[in-house]
C-alpha cells in the first residue's frame, strides 16, 4: 500500500496520472499547481463536475493555475488523503463530515440519524446556520477550511449479501462495513450491529471476500461503485443524509492572489450546486435500474429504527457531545429530535 502510494505520488508529480485538465495549457508552466483528491469512482457525478470545474479554473486563470483532479482514491484512501491535505501534500479534498469527525468532532452534527426529513431541510440547514457553524469549527480547529457549498452524497441505505433488513432486530450482530468515523461506530453499536471500520477504497473487496456482509451508502454510490455486484439486498432505510465538504488547505489556498481565489471559489461552489442536481436526477432512476440488475429492494418504517436509537440513548449522548447551542441550531431546521 505504502509503496503503491509513493509510486502514485511520484507519477503524479511527473504529470503522468493527471486527468487531462491541464493539457491544453501544458506549453506554459502554471504558477500554481493544485492537487484535488477524492474517493469516488470516475462515473460518479462528483467527478464529472470536478473535471469540468478544473478545466474552467485553468481556463479562467489563463493558465496561471493548473488544477488537477485525482479521483477514485488514486492518492490513497480517505484516511491517507485527510493526512495529506492537513499537511499540504494535497491541496483540496472532498470528505464526509462524519469522517472529518476524526479531526473536527463538531462536523459530525449533520449526520444525526433520521434528522433531515427531506432535501429542503438538508440544503436550508447546510447552506444556512448549521453549515456555517460547522465551517467555523473546521477553520478554527484545523489547517483546513471548507468552501460554502457542501456537495451531495445522499441519503444512506443498507445493502447486504445475506438478508433484507426490515426492522432494527435484523441489524443485531450484522457484520456491516462503516466508514472510519466515531459517529458511525456509535450509531451502529446503538443498533447492536457488529460494525467494521473500513475505508471506501477497500469496500468492494471487503464485501466480495465476505470480510463484511453488509454496508450502507446512497444509491448513487452503490450504482457507480457497482456494489450491486457483491450485494443482493437493498433496504431503503434513509437512516442518515451525508455530504462532502470541499476542503482546502489554508496555506496552499492563501498562496493565491485575490482574483485567483475568487475564480477557484466561484467554480468550486458552482460545481457543487450542479453535482447536487446530478445526484438527485441519477438517484431518481436507480431503484429501477438496480432492480433490473438483480438487487432486491424493500422499504422500512423509519420510526422503528429511530425508536431503537432513542432507547439506546444515542440522541441523548450526541446532544450532550455537540452541546446545547449546536443542537438547537440543528433542531431549528429539523424540528425537535428527542
Ligand atoms: O465511505 C463511504 O461509504 C462514502 C463513499 O459514502 C463516504 O465517503 C462517506
Amino acid at each position: 500500500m505504502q509503496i503503491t502510494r509513493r509510486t502514485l505520488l511520484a507519477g503524479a508529480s511527473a504529470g503522468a496520472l493527471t486527468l487531462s485538465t491541464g493539457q491544453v495549457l501544458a506549453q506554459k508552466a502554471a504558477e500554481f499547481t493544485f492537487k484535488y483528491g477524492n474517493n469516488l469512482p470516475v462515473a460518479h457525478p462528483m467527478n464529472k463536475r470536478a473535471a469540468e470545474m478544473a478545466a474552467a479554473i485553468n481556463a479562467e486563470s489563463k493558465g496561471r493555475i493548473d488544477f488537477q483532479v485525482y479521483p477514485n482514491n488514486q492518492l490513497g484512501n480517505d484516511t491517507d488523503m485527510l493526512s495529506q491535505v492537513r499537511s499540504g501534500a494535497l491541496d483540496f479534498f472532498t470528505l464526509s463530515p462524519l469522517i472529518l469527525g476524526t479531526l473536527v468532532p463538531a462536523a459530525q452534527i449533520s449526520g444525526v440519524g433520521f434528522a433531515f426529513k427531506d432535501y429542503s431541510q438538508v440544503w436550508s440547514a447546510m447552506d444556512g446556520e448549521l453549515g456555517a457553524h460547522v465551517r467555523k469549527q473546521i477553520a478554527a480547529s484545523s489547517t483546513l477550511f471548507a468552501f460554502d457549498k457542501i456537495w451531495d452524497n445522499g441519503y444512506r441505505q443498507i445493502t447486504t449479501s445475506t438478508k433484507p433488513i426490515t426492522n432494527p432486530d435484523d441489524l443485531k450482530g450484522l457484520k456491516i462495513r462503516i466508514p472510519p468515523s466515531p459517529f458511525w461506530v456509535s450509531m451502529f453499536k446503538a443498533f447492536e450491529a457488529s460494525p467494521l471500520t473500513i475505508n471506501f477504497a477497500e469496500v468492494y473487496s471487503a464485501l466480495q471476500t465476505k470480510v463484511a456482509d453488509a454496508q450502507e451508502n446512497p444509491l448513487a454510490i452503490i450504482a457507480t461503485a457497482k456494489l450491486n455486484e457483491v450485494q443482493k439486498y437493498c433496504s431503503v432505510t434513509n437512516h442518515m443524509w451525508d455530504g462532502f465538504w470541499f476542503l482546502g488547505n489554508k496555506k496552499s489556498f492563501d498562496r493565491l492572489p485575490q482574483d485567483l481565489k475568487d475564480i477557484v471559489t466561484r467554480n468550486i461552489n458552482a460545481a457543487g450546486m450542479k453535482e447536487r442536481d446530478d445526484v438527485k436526477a441519477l438517484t431518481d432512476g436507480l431503484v429501477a435500474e438496480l432492480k433490473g440488475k438483480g438487487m432486491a429492494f424493500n422499504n422500512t418504517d423509519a420510526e422503528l429504527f429511530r425508536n431503537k436509537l432513542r432507547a439506546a440513548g444515542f440522541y441523548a449522548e450526541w446532544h450532550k457531545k455537540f452541546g446545547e447551542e449546536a443542537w438547537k441550531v440543528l433542531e431549528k431546521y429539523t424540528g425537535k429530535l428527542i
Side-chain angles (χ1 to χ4, degrees), residues 39-40 78 96 99 153 156 177 179 184 200 217 221 242 244:
N39 67 351
L40 293 189
D78 279 331
S96 160
I99 303 180
N153 188 349
R156 300 181 77 95
R177 171 273 169 174
W184 252 300
F200 191 64
N217 249 304
I221 294 208
D242 190 27
F244 291 100

Side-chain angles (χ1 to χ4, degrees), residues 169-236:
D169 280 348
D170 295 325
L171 292 170
K172 278 192 184 160
L174 183 71
K175 283 196 296 172
I176 183 168
R177 171 273 169 174
I178 51 164
S181 152
F183 195 85
W184 252 300
V185 173
S186 155
M187 184 165 175
F188 279 84
K189 286 210 164 136
F191 282 134
E192 296 180 75
S194 302
L196 301 160
T197 291
I198 299 174
N199 270 293
F200 191 64
E202 290 95 45
V203 165
Y204 187 100
S205 70
L207 296 169
Q208 191 173 37
T209 58
K210 304 275 164 58
V211 167
D213 293 324
Q215 68 86 43
E216 44 82 60
N217 249 304
L219 295 182
I221 294 208
I222 295 167
T224 56
K226 300 188 164 58
L227 300 183
N228 55 293
E229 294 175 355
V230 287
Q231 297 280 271
K232 171 73 186 164
Y233 300 96
C234 184
S235 302
V236 178

